[in-house]
Amino acid sequence: MTEYWWKDLRDRKDRWQGLELIVREGTGQAMEMQSGHNGRMALQVNGEALFWATMLKDHSGVWLVFNAEHPGQQPLLPAMTSADVETAKRAGEQNGISHWCRYFARQLMEASVPLLPPRRWLLRPMSLVKPKAPYVCNKTLPLAQWRFETPASNSDISVNWSLYGEDFPDLQNPEKVTHVDWWWGGHLLLGRYPVDADSGRVKWWRKKCRENALPPILVWYIAGLASFVILDGHDRLQAALTEGIPPQFLVLSELSEQSWTPDEETRQRVLRSLAIQQERCKQTPANIDAMNQSLMNLYDTRYLYAPTHSRAVLGDGADWEREVKAYLQRHQLDEYLEKILRREE
């Protein structure tokens, strides 16, 4: 039995940032990152490689090879029902995203094969950023202008994601080989299987999209790939793309905490400066909130960040190379082979 609990993560101004999920014990995991020498990586789903990846020698990016032959191309979580959508509606728009965080936390942990190993996790929303004025209200925003970001925070939460419409995949015909360019941010959105845009499920989600009742897309951010992998919501995303209505995302990531040692001399200089400002407050108006924020920043030595753990089981990568080479040859993609094996762009 899996032991877990959650709590709301808030910043210093008590603004909600996401749901922190602590997993103490588990019975297994459906997804796992594996690593080895020469920058070799593999994302396994149910014991089979879904993505093979290798980091470039100059650390400027990564090659991704999508395994279209993966035998487990099915939903990892139970299908969402109409009752689930109606329950979210009753939660209200203000509490909607918090409700969906809790919903997916339960689904992730109570699935037949839990996805998450014992660790500290975070579910954080990533919402559409509206264009700056001037822009035409009620006009459909083209996909190329879609941009999604995590909530603003005044705490040291280095788990800030962004995603652009231009980095969305072709869900109906996913690319088998992709180059993720880290110089330009990476952060691609990766699907796990092809989607039938004419399926009844997609049509139903299109209807919910028009009703402004589309649940968020659940993705997992994997640091080694600098990309988001869709865990749940392929059909919902296809429905949103077809309707031209931007969806909302929930990003799952591991969560770690570290502390840093401040420079005492610098701290004292800041304290003296704040003391001078405090004296001036007696004569002229000053921003007390800003001074308080500076003090909190001065003594809060913790920061949160999002790593991705992997198991070092790929050895020297020889088996990895044989699998990738055979796969590329079967799909007539030999032109990528040398670049991938040499780890060059």
Side-chain angles (χ1 to χ4, degrees):
M1 181 177 178
T2 302
E3 179 183 341
Y4 68 97
W5 66 90
W6 62 59
K7 65 177 181 179
D8 291 304
L9 180 65
R10 299 180 179 275
D11 68 3
R12 298 187 191 118
K13 290 187 176 181
D14 201 36
R15 293 179 299 192
W16 188 81
Q17 297 294 312
L19 193 72
E20 185 177 346
L21 178 64
I22 295 93
V23 183
R24 287 292 298 272
E25 295 181 9
T27 56
Q29 60 189 97
M31 298 185 70
E32 179 184 58
M33 276 295 295
Q34 298 180 350
S35 60
H37 293 297
N38 300 315
R40 307 310 193 204
M41 294 175 279
L43 175 60
Q44 292 230 338
V45 177
N46 296 324
E48 295 281 348
L50 177 67
F51 283 98
W52 294 283
T54 185
M55 187 186 304
L56 300 188
K57 288 181 180 179
D58 61 2
H59 299 273
S60 65
V62 62
W63 280 107
L64 282 174
V65 180
F66 170 63
N67 183 10
E69 302 171 358
H70 193 282
Q73 294 178 354
Q74 74 277 340
L76 291 170
L77 302 179
M80 197 177 293
T81 66
S82 180
D84 295 328
V85 177
E86 293 303 314
T87 301
K89 282 184 181 179
R90 290 193 292 272
E93 186 175 350
Q94 186 175 0
N95 299 317
I97 196 65
S98 175
H99 167 85
W100 283 118
C101 279
R102 286 160 168 76
Y103 169 86
F104 280 117
R106 285 190 293 267
Q107 296 291 83
L108 287 165
M109 299 314 306
E110 296 174 9
S112 55
V113 181
L115 269 71
L116 308 183
R119 212 159 282 153
R120 190 178 179 188
W121 298 85
L122 177 65
L123 277 165
R124 198 158 192 231
M126 188 164 56
S127 305
L128 179 72
V129 178
K130 293 183 178 179
K132 294 182 178 179
Y135 66 91
V136 180
C137 296
N138 300 322
K139 183 180 179 181
T140 301
L141 196 65
L143 177 62
Q145 295 183 28
W146 289 9
R147 179 166 64 94
F148 304 84
E149 290 187 353
T150 44
S153 171
N154 63 347
S155 297
D156 290 328
I157 303 177
S158 301
V159 191
N160 300 310
W161 313 128
S162 60
L163 178 63
Y164 292 82
E166 62 187 21
D167 293 325
F168 281 26
D170 180 350
L171 290 171
Q172 299 176 67
N173 300 287
E175 292 185 357
K176 294 182 178 66
V177 179
T178 306
H179 173 250
V180 185
D181 189 343
W182 289 354
W183 286 111
W184 296 101
H187 291 189
L188 301 186
L189 184 61
L190 307 174
R192 294 188 296 106
Y193 54 83
V195 173
D196 179 4
D198 296 320
S199 69
R201 191 75 175 169
V202 171
K203 291 177 180 177
W204 185 68
W205 283 126
R206 289 180 63 180
K207 179 175 180 291
K208 295 302 173 185
C209 210
R210 294 191 294 270
E211 295 172 357
N212 194 30
L214 188 72
I217 316 301
L218 178 66
V219 300
W220 178 22
Y221 180 77
I222 301 178
L225 307 183
S227 299
F228 304 94
V229 175
I230 301 174
L231 297 183
D232 186 83
H234 289 73
D235 290 342
R236 298 197 297 279
L237 180 57
Q238 182 61 55
L241 291 170
T242 305
E243 293 294 324
I245 300 175
Q248 192 164 34
F249 292 88
L250 277 181
V251 183
L252 173 73
S253 66
E254 295 184 38
L255 185 66
S256 292
E257 181 178 316
Q258 286 191 355
S259 60
W260 54 277
T261 303
D263 180 72
E264 191 59 34
E265 184 178 345
T266 301
R267 176 183 279 177
Q268 292 303 318
R269 283 203 304 269
V270 174
L271 286 173
R272 287 194 294 270
S273 175
L274 291 173
I276 293 172
Q277 292 184 46
Q278 188 177 26
E279 284 298 318
R280 291 175 179 173
C281 285
K282 300 175 182 178
Q283 302 172 352
T284 59
N287 190 336
I288 300 300
D289 288 341
M291 294 175 62
N292 288 337
Q293 186 65 52
S294 297
L295 279 171
M296 286 188 286
N297 291 339
L298 203 58
Y299 287 94
D300 187 356
T301 60
R302 304 173 306 150
Y303 73 94
L304 302 174
Y305 66 101
T308 300
H309 285 82
S310 66
R311 277 204 309 146
V313 295
L314 298 182
D316 61 2
D319 291 337
W320 181 99
E321 289 187 15
R322 281 193 293 271
E323 289 179 6
V324 171
K325 182 177 181 179
Y327 177 81
L328 293 177
Q329 289 176 342
R330 284 197 301 273
H331 291 270
Q332 292 79 50
L333 295 168
D334 305 73
E335 69 268 24
Y336 294 104
L337 184 58
E338 284 303 311
K339 290 182 179 180
I340 291 173
L341 295 184
R342 293 176 181 271
R343 301 166 59 198
E344 298 174 350
E345 185 177 349

